[in-house]
Amino acid sequence: MGHFSSMFSGLARSFSIKKVKNNNGTCDAKEAADEMGFGCQEDMIFCGIFDGHGPWGHYVAKHVRNSMPSSLLCNWQKTLAQTALLEPELDLEGSNKKFSRFDIWKHSYLKTCASVDQELEHHRKIDSYNSGTTAITIVRQGDVIYVSNVGDSRAVLATTSDEGSLVAVQLTLDFKPNLPQEKERIIGCNGRVFCMKDEPGVHRVWQPDTEAPGLAMSRAFGDYCIKEYGLVSVPEVTQRHISVKDHFIILASDGIWDVITNQQAIEIVSSTAERPKAAKRLVEQAVRAWKKKKRRGIAMDDMSVVCLFLHSSSSSPSLSQHVQHATTFK
């Protein structure tokens, strides 16, 4: 497996579109992200978790991690420019708008995921036929976050309830093959969904006539051996307005959530005195839980965590990340 976390933070002065051209006259958004900050926007951050699986999972995850930010930024800039041409006096904050910021980001994410997956399929140096990756990413723009999810990694928000306690709010759906809408799509494409006898409760996607590949998620980049049988790389895109009650968001691969509940995770992070150590501490707690399972013959999964703190200060960074490969503990 291969796990990668990724983050780009942006600092700029205005909401204007910065057009970036390369020598071929096409958009090269990576240059904009590297030189001016993500999107050339004030208070704008991109972060994500990419959880690879299969023999080439490490390379697939790395490729998607490297490709997605620049592709997303380029598609966002193009969509914003096209929208401005259609509605020159567009007010993205207005109540009577035809195109909202969410519509623009959702459209950009859909185009990005489709193009990244297609690019991966034709990559000459990466064999993604039996390998793939999840991708859960967040763009924060001002007081709004846009969440895109492909696979079974998860985003969890820590917020204060009306009673004053810290509670966990799951922002994403774990795309497992047994979810009704996912199973219906897979079966409609002649794929199969069932559990192995020695793995009760673990639903996997199988080809029509062979017991392969046995993928434990219904959406992923790569895995072209099962793409024609219902696996998709289409993201679920959602948004949330950040309030003063919202504290931080945890992005983590399924290896964390297999042994740690949402509530346990936010309590571990919130009780960590130093923000940069929060993600590592959460992984360490998960490793302890996995070791207990290992005694019962269950192998430990790799784990990646990014903690995005929503209200940062000059003395406390807004991001904490940690990647832990299970091989370290075998």
Side-chain angles (χ1 to χ4, degrees):
M1 284 192 178
H3 286 242
F4 290 93
S5 58
S6 177
M7 54 191 67
F8 289 87
S9 59
L11 296 174
R13 301 175 185 172
S14 68
F15 190 68
S16 62
I17 304 169
K18 179 173 179 60
K19 295 180 180 178
V20 181
K21 301 288 183 179
N22 60 23
N23 292 334
N24 297 321
T26 58
C27 182
D28 186 354
K30 182 171 177 57
E31 180 182 342
D34 291 343
E35 293 184 2
M36 300 294 295
F38 190 73
C40 307
Q41 303 301 307
E42 184 178 357
D43 193 21
M44 191 158 160
I45 290 175
F46 173 96
C47 59
I49 290 287
F50 306 86
D51 179 9
H53 53 263
W56 287 73
H58 177 85
Y59 300 99
V60 176
K62 184 177 181 180
H63 177 79
V64 176
R65 180 202 65 177
N66 291 341
S67 298
M68 181 172 280
S70 55
S71 179
L72 176 64
L73 180 53
C74 187
N75 281 316
W76 174 72
Q77 290 175 331
K78 287 180 178 178
T79 304
L80 196 58
Q82 290 168 358
T83 304
L85 288 174
L86 292 173
E87 296 192 17
E89 298 181 3
L90 176 67
D91 177 12
L92 291 173
E93 304 298 338
S95 58
N96 296 320
K97 55 188 176 295
K98 181 179 179 181
F99 302 98
S100 66
R101 284 192 181 187
F102 174 71
D103 292 330
I104 291 171
W105 277 114
K106 183 176 181 178
H107 178 74
S108 302
Y109 260 118
L110 289 170
K111 288 190 67 176
T112 294
C113 291
S115 63
V116 169
D117 198 44
Q118 186 178 30
E119 175 186 301
L120 184 64
E121 183 178 13
H122 298 98
H123 200 291
R124 294 182 178 180
K125 296 183 178 180
I126 300 177
D127 182 0
S128 51
Y129 186 74
N130 288 297
S131 300
T133 186
T134 71
I136 184 166
T137 64
I138 284 180
V139 171
R140 176 178 180 175
Q141 189 174 37
D143 61 353
V144 183
I145 57 169
Y146 304 94
V147 186
S148 170
N149 183 33
V150 177
D152 59 357
S153 295
R154 186 185 301 173
V156 174
L157 169 73
T159 190
T160 303
S161 68
D162 294 337
E163 292 73 32
S165 59
L166 192 67
V167 295
V169 177
Q170 187 167 323
L171 300 178
T172 55
L173 188 65
D174 301 344
F175 283 112
K176 300 293 189 180
N178 60 314
L179 290 176
Q181 72 273 21
E182 301 296 290
K183 185 175 182 179
E184 181 180 0
R185 184 188 66 246
I186 293 165
I187 293 175
C189 294
N190 296 319
R192 297 182 297 159
V193 176
F194 62 85
C195 306
M196 299 290 286
K197 291 182 179 180
D198 59 346
E199 287 184 318
V202 181
H203 293 80
R204 297 181 181 275
V205 185
W206 308 89
Q207 293 175 344
D209 303 316
T210 60
E211 290 193 359
L215 193 63
M217 65 195 71
S218 57
R219 303 191 186 194
F221 290 92
D223 294 302
Y224 299 105
C225 65
I226 200 76
K227 274 283 163 67
E228 65 178 297
Y229 302 117
L231 183 77
V232 297
S233 59
V234 179
E236 178 188 58
V237 184
T238 57
Q239 70 173 345
R240 181 184 175 95
H241 290 265
I242 299 168
S243 74
V244 293
K245 291 185 176 182
D246 299 332
H247 299 277
F248 56 84
I249 297 171
I250 301 171
L251 301 180
S253 56
D254 65 319
I256 294 290
W257 309 116
D258 284 344
V259 293
I260 300 287
T261 67
N262 294 349
Q263 188 63 31
Q264 288 172 335
I266 66 166
E267 289 173 0
I268 291 168
V269 171
S270 65
S271 63
T272 305
E274 300 177 53
R275 285 185 175 181
K277 297 180 179 179
K280 183 178 181 179
R281 184 161 178 260
L282 177 54
V283 171
E284 289 172 345
Q285 294 294 320
V287 167
R288 291 192 182 97
W290 270 107
K291 285 183 176 179
K292 293 178 181 178
K293 277 194 168 190
K294 191 176 180 181
R295 294 193 200 94
R296 303 197 299 269
I298 302 174
M300 184 166 61
D301 199 358
D302 293 345
M303 289 166 280
S304 296
V305 174
V306 167
C307 298
L308 172 62
F309 294 91
L310 301 174
H311 306 290
S312 61
S313 65
S314 57
S315 59
S316 300
S318 60
L319 285 160
S320 171
Q321 65 172 332
H322 190 73
V323 177
Q324 182 64 64
H325 296 289
T327 50
T328 306
F329 295 91
K330 287 183 179 178

